[in-house]
Amino acid sequence: MGHKKSSGIIQLRKGYDMDVALFSYRKENTPVHRAPALLKLAVLCIISAATFATPFPWVLLWAVPPVLSYLTARIPFSRLKKLAFVPVIGIMVTLFRLISGPDQLQSGLLYTLRFAITALSAMVMFETTSPIQLQYGLETLWKCICR
């Protein structure tokens, strides 16, 4: 089956498009989509840092904002397939940790949980923020820093 690649989308002969981008913007009219890009970027940074700094079981609380944002943004559940790399990387990290001792299993699983929360947060951020919005937000931030 032949295909033609153009601008991040593979177009199959029968007219079906298969999105190949990991986190690609999806235009919608939801509160999450309308939120300023810098706010979403700041929340992503805070959740990412806090997730890796918080011990178990409190780390589970940091999963609440990205899950609620995901649902509020009406991102299709089919997009979760793009996060399939998270358990693969988590298993690899866990196996490498197990080399140093069997007591590292919990540490490896906790890393996987933290990585999943961070990846979901990033997915929400990039699925709800256009590249232009992100560029404008970063340029605005840069201008403030340079003053």
Side-chain angles (χ1 to χ4, degrees):
M1 179 185 320
H3 62 275
K4 181 173 76 174
K5 186 174 181 181
S6 64
S7 68
I9 295 179
I10 295 176
Q11 298 173 340
L12 304 175
R13 277 193 188 157
K14 295 186 179 185
Y16 297 103
D17 289 344
M18 188 170 74
D19 192 6
V20 294
L22 180 58
F23 300 137
S24 58
Y25 175 67
R26 226 180 37 53
K27 189 173 183 174
E28 281 280 344
N29 187 18
T30 69
V32 180
H33 283 81
R34 291 190 303 266
L38 281 181
L39 175 63
K40 290 186 268 189
L41 186 59
V43 169
L44 172 62
C45 292
I46 290 167
I47 288 175
S48 298
T51 296
F52 280 90
T54 307
F56 187 80
W58 303 110
V59 69
L60 294 170
L61 293 175
W62 290 109
V64 173
V67 168
L68 290 178
S69 297
Y70 183 91
L71 296 172
T72 303
R74 296 192 304 250
I75 299 171
F77 287 110
S78 62
R79 301 284 241 201
L80 288 174
K81 288 187 276 184
K82 292 183 177 191
L83 297 180
F85 69 94
V86 172
V88 172
I89 291 174
I91 289 169
M92 291 183 346
V93 167
T94 302
L95 289 175
F96 281 117
R97 287 183 183 233
L98 284 173
I99 291 171
S100 63
D103 58 328
Q104 294 297 311
L105 177 63
Q106 183 179 2
S107 173
L109 295 175
L110 181 57
Y111 173 83
T112 304
L113 173 65
R114 288 172 168 159
F115 186 52
I117 293 169
T118 302
L120 181 62
S121 299
M123 177 185 218
V124 170
M125 162 48 180
F126 289 108
E127 294 256 346
T128 62
T129 310
S130 74
I132 297 298
Q133 291 170 326
L134 188 57
Q135 178 182 352
Y136 177 76
L138 292 172
E139 286 174 354
T140 302
L141 178 64
W142 184 250
K143 287 176 187 174
C144 290
I145 291 171
C146 290
R147 285 185 191 172

